[in-house]
Amino acid sequence: VNLYEVKQTVKLSGLDLDGRVLDIGGGGEGIIGRLLGHGTVSIDRWSKELIEAREAGSGALMIEMDATDMKFLDETFDACTSFFSLMYMEPEEQEKVFREAWRVLKHGGEFWVWDITIPERGAREEDVFVVWLDVRMHDTNVRAGYGAQWASRRQDISSFRNLAAAAGFEPVEASLDDQVIFLRLRKPPRAESPLA
Ligand SMILES: C[S@@+](CC[C@H](N)C(=O)[O-])C[C@H]1O[C@@H](n2cnc3c(N)ncnc32)[C@H](O)[C@@H]1O
């Protein structure tokens, strides 16, 4: 294994999501579940990742579930998050996850996405892309290392914006802080019936 490493910082101090929140890929460090606690439902494909998150202090309800094929009813959640989880998925999986997030969100609900820009690997020898994150929360800082197979994968803010738009989301905010992507997306409120 040959690592390509980047160091980045994310500030999460202003995170205020109300209601029932779904955290996609919430295992590992379980950052969102640690911040938001009991109102959060964290899903992950691997239960061992969820156990790790629980041990790290996540107070979320944990369910082993594939985010490309969620078992929740339509319009279940007030908000949805994905914190450095999409970087672990192939583009086809990412596309399904945006559609599933849209489906399970209530109208007017927001999907907040944090992720990393992954450039084209090209002829580089490194085969694993690693981001070392310094996560700044209100009272603590957490260091996390997230690594994924690089292969032919690349992703950036515009690839995510395109997937989001194709799934039906409207952009509320999109920003790039060095290589960290942040998107705030909204499932449009239900259109009023012209007959009402
Ligand atoms: C390492 S975590 C990333 C950071 C995590 N959100 C945190 O706060 O530390 C990414 C997670 O996404 C999960 N994942 C990848 N593909 C998935 C899928 N299709 N459905 C659900 N979880 C998935 C992985 O199992 C992994 O635990």
Side-chain angles (χ1 to χ4, degrees), residues 107-109 170 186-192:
H107 284 275
E170 54 187 33
R186 187 169 76 142
K187 175 170 175 172
R190 197 185 292 284
E192 291 200 15

Side-chain angles (χ1 to χ4, degrees), residues 3-190:
L3 306 182
Y4 179 93
E5 298 166 288
V6 296
K7 270 187 73 176
Q8 301 283 298
T9 302
V10 180
K11 289 180 213 74
L12 276 182
S13 31
L15 185 63
D16 54 343
L17 289 172
D18 291 329
R20 193 184 275 147
V21 180
L22 172 67
D23 184 34
I24 293 172
E29 294 290 333
I31 299 292
I32 302 297
R34 280 156 80 171
L35 258 166
L36 299 180
H38 281 84
T40 316
V41 176
S42 287
I43 62 166
D44 201 288
R45 196 157 43 172
W46 306 109
S47 57
K48 90 173 192 355
E49 296 281 342
L50 292 171
I51 291 165
E52 211 179 294
R54 188 164 62 185
E55 283 165 359
S58 169
L61 168 65
M62 317 264 186
I63 311 177
E64 184 182 327
M65 194 186 294
D66 184 345
T68 64
D69 179 24
M70 296 186 203
K71 304 304 175 194
F72 303 110
L73 300 182
D74 295 356
E75 299 172 37
T76 294
F77 293 95
D78 299 291
C80 182
T81 57
S82 172
F83 189 80
F84 292 84
S85 298
L86 293 165
M87 64 177 282
Y88 287 83
M89 303 176 200
E90 297 297 330
E92 310 78 58
E93 293 178 283
Q94 292 179 347
E95 185 188 339
K96 288 185 187 153
V97 169
F98 276 96
R99 290 188 188 284
E100 281 290 80
W102 193 93
R103 183 181 67 75
V104 302
L105 266 176
K106 295 177 186 170
H107 284 275
E110 293 193 2
F111 183 21
W112 291 27
V113 177
W114 296 260
D115 223 283
I116 187 76
T117 308
I118 304 183
E120 189 119 42
R121 181 179 168 209
R124 287 194 187 91
E125 277 187 4
E126 293 96 334
D127 51 0
V128 173
F129 187 93
V130 180
V131 50
W132 293 104
L133 262 196
D134 186 5
V135 187
R136 307 251 164 99
M137 308 202 262
H138 327 280
D139 43 1
T140 46
N141 284 0
V142 175
R143 286 182 187 281
Y146 299 132
Q149 286 296 328
W150 202 350
S152 59
R153 187 180 313 169
R154 54 179 297 274
Q155 60 179 33
D156 56 29
I157 195 165
S158 63
S159 59
F160 284 148
R161 290 189 72 152
N162 290 340
L163 291 174
F169 284 106
E170 54 187 33
V172 176
E173 194 182 328
S175 61
L176 197 57
D177 183 3
D178 196 358
Q179 297 180 64
V180 174
I181 297 163
F182 174 63
L183 294 178
R184 236 180 102 180
L185 307 161
R186 187 169 76 142
K187 175 170 175 172
R190 197 185 292 284

